[in-house]
Amino acid sequence: MKREVEDKRAERVAPSGAMRLLQKMVDVKPVEVRALILSFVYYFFILSSYYIIRPIRDDMGAAGGVENLPWMFTGTLLAMLVANALFAWLVVKFSRRRFIPIAYRFFISNLVLFFLLLLLTPGNQHVWVGRVFFIWTSVFNLFVISVFWAFMADVFSTDQGKRLFGFISVGGTLGGIVGAGLTATLVQRVGSLNLLLLSAVMLELSAQCVRLFPVAFEGSRAAIREKAAADERPIGGGIWSGIVHDLRSPYLLGICAYMLLYAMTSTLLYFQQVSIAASAFTDRGARTAFFAQIDLLVNVLTILVQAFLTGRLLKWLGVGITLALLPAMSVIGFTALGVMPTLTLFVIFLTLRRAGNFAIARPAREVLFTVVSREDKYKAKSFIDTFIYRAGDQIGAWSSPALGWLGLGLTGVSFVAAPMAAVWFLISLWLGRKQVAMAHHPPESAESTNARPLNSMSLAESAD
């Protein structure tokens, strides 16, 4: 009774200026603020950690020989399988507050190991260390981000995901900008080697965010303790069950198809980017500046949309239509490029597509996982976000030279990509309808019962 009185009294308290400002940007309830801020900071540190070492990876990849990049991408696919098996084993054995920090600290130990190898090995051996580092980083970036969003899908409900995931994504965008800025500013002063340790520090700070995350948003102490005991039990299952569930579930297969088509069309667009930029610019410096300007436009547009529009789109349009915006834009963009492959049109399409993915499609895609079982949130999702994504990347990379061999130029490739984007559009709408149905009729099992979001306690539990 005392707790209920205190909760009602808190609801009557006028929100502070900071709270009113936050609520203008995102539809957040007072009890969700701590979780929202921690999620924002968590994603900031994750992306900062990656973008600090991303330029180092690209430099090492180039030093290892451009002709060897296809082999390194193949090595990345194989490494993804191993990483998924190791992570699934952690999910089987430990609670989420333990297996997430353990996974991150494994990568931290890897960063320290690369630091020591590059410090102690002769210079002529660095090219081999660099190739391994390229593969490792390609696994690292997808994996740590996938684990982050799995945790978000686990702790937030579908309704919360629609309202909050867009704003949370702003933290990642800012983290990417800060991480890249730190490398650009410090690499000449401290050297790329020491930046590996800075990346490790950022990753450890993200692990601490998991430890500090609230157990529940509201309810009595007894209800919170009961929920904490249920949610922090090891998920169990098999090491390969994520892959098996992906193959057996039409819903998860649909998400696999969505990811494949996104990655394939992205790679085809990348090859178009290389071709059209090479013909438009003969000076490498001008070409680099051109791409840097696109990156700046994408980052600015992404932050604005994430902060003020994404949550509202998900609330107004629903998951399916919001998810379908990017493939619809791609159908229009590829068709337009096929008809008129100009530099101006290419820049507009590339900027809108990249910003649309980061700001709209990614948060909407993560909401899809709020309705699956806890085991699938961590195991099946990890496999989709890492292996399936890289497989689509590989298919796109292999398809582009094949299309060139058939004599298709920019126009022909665009007209091949447009119907692929149309299929992607239809899959998005189907996933949206399926997600709504599953949200209303969640899977009934002991494991899924433990997977209720943090604010989903019944009225009886809250009244304890």
Side-chain angles (χ1 to χ4, degrees), residues 80 97 100 152:
M80 289 291 187
R97 289 183 190 266
I100 294 177
M152 294 297 101

Side-chain angles (χ1 to χ4, degrees), residues 400-418:
S400 189
L403 293 173
W405 181 78
L406 292 173
L408 298 180
L410 291 175
T411 298
V413 172
S414 296
F415 284 135
V416 168

